[in-house]
Amino acid sequence: KILDVFQSMDYDLETSYQVRNLCLKLLEDQATERVTDGCLKALTQMMLSTLSSPREVIDLLLSTAEGEMRKGVRSSAFKCLEEIAGAQPELLNDKDVYRLVDLTGDSGGEILCKISLSPAKQLLTPSTLETLSSKLGSAPLPSAVAIYQICATLIPSQHSQTHFYPLLVRTIDSQDTLLVRRLLFSFSKQESVNTSLLFTLLSTSTMEIFMELCYCLSSLKRSVVLQSDQVSNILDSCDLKKGCYFVKLVTVLYGQCREELRTVITDQVALFVDRLALEGRQWSMYCIMRVAMCHGVFEIALKIIKLLNDSLIHPTLSTSLRV
């Protein structure tokens, strides 16, 4: 109960000194998991409130995260480090970042992600960034994604393409949708990108990853030039559900097509819509038509309207189409 009070009290220098000594004494005595958890949280709150002994507290938390055998205590140390990274990330130095990179599991990556989204990332020196980038291939995946987020922001010319593609394949193989989303978000902010690999990965991705890739490509539409072979390969290889998402993407990117390819791509989409009509997927056809109309792709929209009017569909939908 006293440790719970320590976590929520206001500190002055004298009180913080007393709390520090008591907590360190309890930790030296190999306290129980519950007491250790309370001591780590109390030390973190004391340090954030007074900024006293920041190096001592951070080193203690990192050492606990690295070497503690008790899972609950390690989790508590990670949470405290994450709180510091969110509240006072400038207290973490280069060596702390390196140690976070080497931590296994998701937690080190979560803390690095907080740093990558904070002004503290500007404190990372060029040499630190180069060292971090060299760890992209060997670091645990959550840490590797966070490293890319940091490096792509601060030295984009070197990291927008070179390190992205192998890391994306590795991340997709893990089937971790959240990490894929974070990685694609950082990539989509780059000024100059090559999106050909994203189209290649669409053919083999799960539905969740497929949707993330489509969303990224739609946000990059100024950099994407549709190719007819890309469209045909993906529509031929994917199921109807994926195909519907991809056709919606095609309508978003249609304006970036070269004029001579538009007729070919329109015909390819029409063939897929025929598949939907044969399967009785009129509602999917209607949704694609609406997206096409919103983006001014009237060639595709009119083909779908004709197919819908020729099929047996719900009277309400038929009336709305005529209007």
Side-chain angles (χ1 to χ4, degrees):
K1 290 183 178 179
I2 292 175
L3 290 172
D4 289 341
V5 172
F6 287 168
Q7 295 172 38
S8 57
M9 65 186 292
D10 293 327
Y11 286 95
D12 54 33
L13 289 177
E14 182 179 353
T15 306
S16 66
Y17 181 75
Q18 293 173 347
V19 169
R20 168 191 170 277
N21 290 341
L22 175 59
C23 289
L24 292 178
K25 179 67 169 61
L26 289 172
L27 291 173
E28 287 176 2
D29 293 339
Q30 296 183 337
T32 64
E33 185 171 316
R34 184 177 177 185
V35 172
T36 304
D37 174 76
C39 288
L40 294 178
K41 290 178 179 177
L43 286 169
T44 301
Q45 292 303 317
M46 178 270 294
M47 186 266 289
L48 290 175
S49 298
T50 64
L51 296 182
S52 62
S53 307
R55 182 47 35 204
E56 180 182 40
V57 173
I58 291 171
D59 284 339
L60 172 64
L61 293 172
L62 283 168
S63 298
T64 302
E66 291 167 336
E68 177 60 55
M69 299 300 294
R70 293 171 291 182
K71 186 176 180 180
V73 174
R74 290 185 76 240
S75 177
S76 178
F78 279 128
K79 288 179 181 177
C80 291
L81 286 166
E82 190 171 347
E83 186 173 358
I84 293 170
Q88 299 283 346
E90 63 276 5
L91 296 176
L92 300 169
N93 61 29
D94 295 356
K95 292 181 179 179
D96 299 332
V97 173
Y98 298 152
R99 292 172 73 179
L100 287 170
V101 168
D102 293 331
L103 290 173
T104 57
D106 294 348
S107 301
E110 290 291 338
I111 298 166
L112 286 170
C113 282
K114 280 190 175 289
I115 297 174
S116 73
L117 297 173
S118 74
K121 64 188 176 187
Q122 303 294 342
L123 301 175
L124 300 174
T125 63
S127 61
T128 304
L129 293 172
E130 289 303 321
T131 303
L132 285 177
S133 65
S134 69
K135 293 176 176 283
L136 271 170
S138 59
L141 190 55
S143 296
V145 172
I147 290 170
Y148 178 84
Q149 288 180 296
I150 296 171
C151 293
T153 302
L154 299 181
I155 42 177
S157 60
Q158 299 177 35
H159 291 82
S160 61
Q161 309 286 329
T162 308
H163 299 288
F164 172 75
Y165 299 118
L167 182 57
L168 178 61
V169 172
R170 182 183 165 198
T171 309
I172 288 178
D173 287 343
S174 75
Q175 298 299 312
D176 190 322
T177 307
L178 179 58
L179 288 180
V180 172
R181 185 179 304 148
R182 287 177 176 172
L183 187 59
L184 290 173
F185 177 78
S186 296
F187 181 68
S188 67
K189 299 301 179 184
Q190 304 304 307
E191 291 184 1
S192 176
V193 295
N194 183 346
T195 58
S196 58
L197 178 70
L198 301 188
F199 281 100
T200 303
L201 292 171
L202 281 171
S203 301
T204 57
S205 299
T206 62
M207 188 64 209
E208 292 78 10
I209 304 299
F210 188 93
M211 292 168 64
E212 295 296 337
L213 290 169
C214 285
Y215 181 80
C216 179
L217 285 166
S218 66
S219 65
L220 285 167
K221 66 178 183 179
R222 291 186 179 179
S223 303
V224 179
V225 178
L226 275 179
Q227 301 294 331
S228 59
D229 58 335
Q230 290 175 333
V231 176
S232 61
N233 289 340
I234 293 172
L235 289 179
D236 290 342
S237 63
C238 65
D239 57 31
L240 292 180
K241 188 174 182 181
K242 286 184 180 179
C244 289
Y245 272 93
F246 183 69
V247 169
K248 291 176 185 177
L249 172 66
V250 169
T251 61
V252 173
L253 303 177
Y254 193 80
Q256 306 300 116
C257 295
R258 296 198 304 272
E259 193 67 38
E260 62 271 18
L261 291 180
R262 291 189 179 185
T263 302
V264 177
I265 291 175
T266 301
D267 291 340
Q268 290 168 340
V269 171
L271 288 174
F272 176 77
V273 174
D274 284 338
R275 287 173 57 192
L276 291 177
L278 290 173
E279 294 290 333
R281 302 288 188 92
Q282 285 89 359
W283 180 251
S284 297
M285 295 164 63
Y286 177 65
C287 292
I288 293 171
M289 183 208 69
R290 290 189 62 184
V291 175
M293 293 289 285
C294 288
H295 289 87
V297 188
F298 301 115
E299 300 93 329
I300 293 175
L302 290 172
K303 284 182 179 291
I304 296 175
I305 289 174
K306 184 178 184 304
L307 284 170
L308 285 171
N309 280 328
D310 290 343
S311 63
L312 296 175
I313 57 178
H314 194 280
T316 304
L317 181 57
S318 180
T319 302
S320 67
L321 290 174
R322 292 193 189 98
V323 172

